[in-house]
Amino acid sequence: TRRNVFIASGGVILPWVAGFLVAVYGVSDAYVPPGVNRISFAVFVGAILVATSTAIAAAMLLELGLIQTRVAKAIMGAAVIDDILGLLVLSIAIGTNRGTVDLTSLAILGGTATAFILIGAWVGAQFFGRLVVKLQASGERIGLRYGGFMVAIAITFLYAAIAETIGLSAIIGAFVAGTMFAVTPLKADLQRGAERLGTIFTPAFFISMGLLVNLWTLDSNLLVFGVILIVLAFFTKVIGCVIPARLYGMTPDEAWAVGYGMTPRGEVGLIIAQAAFLVGVIRSELFSIIVIALIIVSVMPTLFLKHYLVRIRKAHATAAVTAPPPAGEQS
């Protein structure tokens, strides 16, 4: 809906601008790798602050029985759009790192990313999604239970390779593939298969991230930058989502719940940080403080989010008790 687009846009633009400005004016040249354009460096730092992880919010909404409420729909819907916008920002960041920093090149890059997402999703829904469903059914008839899932994984790698080939990030291709399979009748089966893979690759991902973090390289200047980054990451996301939510008629409690629910960065932010580190845009010491900041920002909103969700649940319970009975039941 337009409300979700509005909320997601606020939650992307404000953190990105804040991250960009603090990277331009608040980071010493000593922490920018030699030969790296300062604008490219700043675009990547801004992109790291954009992504949203809804795992914490979803767990709390489910626990409190609010998964079908307007707040839950706003958080989940805005998070999907937020991820798409975040991937576009990542595409621009990768483009600037390759030297394309003029407006024309950035416009072409943004258009390419948008076209890939839209066309890839449409082709997937019309062809690949149906193909996976048919292969799954055929496989089950001959005793191959996960045939559709294996083909889905292969298509995901194909989309990732195409994204890399046209100058985007592999994560964009994987995201597009995930969205097209999410609307198939096999959504639950594919999700179970992905969870099984996750038990192997998720720990490996976080271990690899931990191995890249070197706490011994941190100094007082980096710690100050880390504190600034945490404050910016936290408040820009909250404010960027609360204001649009209020403008679209949500109550104060609902708006604050949406803001805090969108604040955790989680794995997507870490992936973007890792991409910046691997292409040499940020150095090891800056990567380490960014990872620490993202972890802290992912935990910080928990108490605030639960506070407002409990208030919303109480308001719903009060409204249900005070609501007049249906006309046919009145005495």
Side-chain angles (χ1 to χ4, degrees):
T1 65
R2 285 183 296 177
R3 179 192 63 197
N4 295 343
V5 173
F6 200 34
I7 292 172
S9 299
V12 166
I13 294 172
L14 192 57
W16 184 86
V17 171
F20 179 88
L21 293 177
V22 76
V24 170
Y25 299 108
V27 179
S28 169
D29 290 338
Y31 299 115
V32 180
V36 172
N37 184 292
R38 169 71 75 153
I39 298 299
S40 175
F41 169 79
V43 169
F44 257 109
V45 173
I48 291 168
L49 301 187
V50 165
T52 289
S53 175
T54 59
I56 294 175
M60 286 192 178
L61 289 164
L62 188 61
E63 177 187 349
L64 296 172
L66 299 174
I67 201 67
Q68 297 298 326
T69 61
R70 181 166 62 168
V71 172
K73 293 176 181 178
I75 292 175
M76 299 306 167
V80 172
I81 300 167
D82 184 288
D83 282 345
I84 295 173
L85 296 176
L87 295 177
L88 291 177
V89 172
L90 175 59
S91 301
I92 294 174
I94 292 172
T96 59
N97 184 53
R98 293 171 178 169
T100 55
V101 295
D102 58 282
L103 292 178
T104 301
S105 298
L106 291 180
I108 293 173
L109 186 64
T112 302
T114 303
F116 173 74
I117 291 172
L118 295 178
I119 295 174
W122 183 84
V123 171
Q126 296 297 317
F127 177 68
F128 289 125
R130 297 176 181 177
L131 174 64
V132 168
V133 172
K134 290 180 179 179
L135 289 175
Q136 178 73 7
S138 301
E140 288 181 350
R141 285 197 294 269
I142 61 174
L144 186 61
R145 294 182 57 192
Y146 300 105
F149 175 73
M150 290 187 288
V151 174
I153 292 296
I155 294 171
T156 300
F157 280 115
L158 172 64
Y159 268 57
I162 293 173
E164 285 282 348
T165 301
I166 63 177
L168 305 179
S169 170
I171 187 178
I172 298 177
F175 178 86
V176 174
T179 57
M180 71 185 183
F181 292 132
V183 297
T184 67
L186 298 177
K187 175 183 177 180
D189 293 333
L190 297 177
Q191 184 174 355
R192 283 194 294 271
E195 288 172 353
R196 290 187 175 92
L197 286 180
T199 59
I200 300 173
F201 291 108
T202 301
F205 167 73
F206 284 107
I207 290 172
S208 67
M209 293 292 293
L211 291 174
L212 294 175
V213 174
N214 186 358
L215 298 179
W216 301 110
T217 61
L218 303 182
D219 57 31
S220 57
N221 291 328
L222 279 174
L223 292 176
V224 171
F225 172 75
V227 172
I228 294 173
L229 198 67
I230 290 170
V231 172
L232 286 177
F234 186 83
F235 287 104
T236 55
K237 197 70 165 183
V238 173
I239 296 171
C241 295
V242 168
I243 293 175
R246 287 289 290 143
L247 291 176
Y248 261 81
M250 301 189 79
T251 67
D253 286 345
E254 290 175 332
W256 284 107
V258 169
Y260 288 121
M262 296 284 289
T263 300
R265 299 310 197 272
E267 66 286 346
V268 179
L270 293 174
I271 290 171
I272 296 176
Q274 186 184 46
F277 176 70
L278 293 178
V279 299
V281 175
I282 60 176
R283 294 173 57 173
S284 173
E285 56 267 33
L286 198 61
F287 172 79
S288 299
I289 199 67
I290 287 173
V291 170
I292 294 171
L294 290 178
I295 293 173
I296 293 174
V297 171
S298 295
V299 176
M300 282 176 62
T302 305
L303 293 176
F304 301 101
L305 175 60
K306 189 166 186 177
H307 169 74
Y308 283 103
L309 289 179
V310 169
R311 287 171 61 97
I312 291 169
R313 186 175 66 171
K314 289 180 179 178
H316 287 180
T318 302
V321 170
T322 59
E329 298 181 10
Q330 293 180 353
S331 56

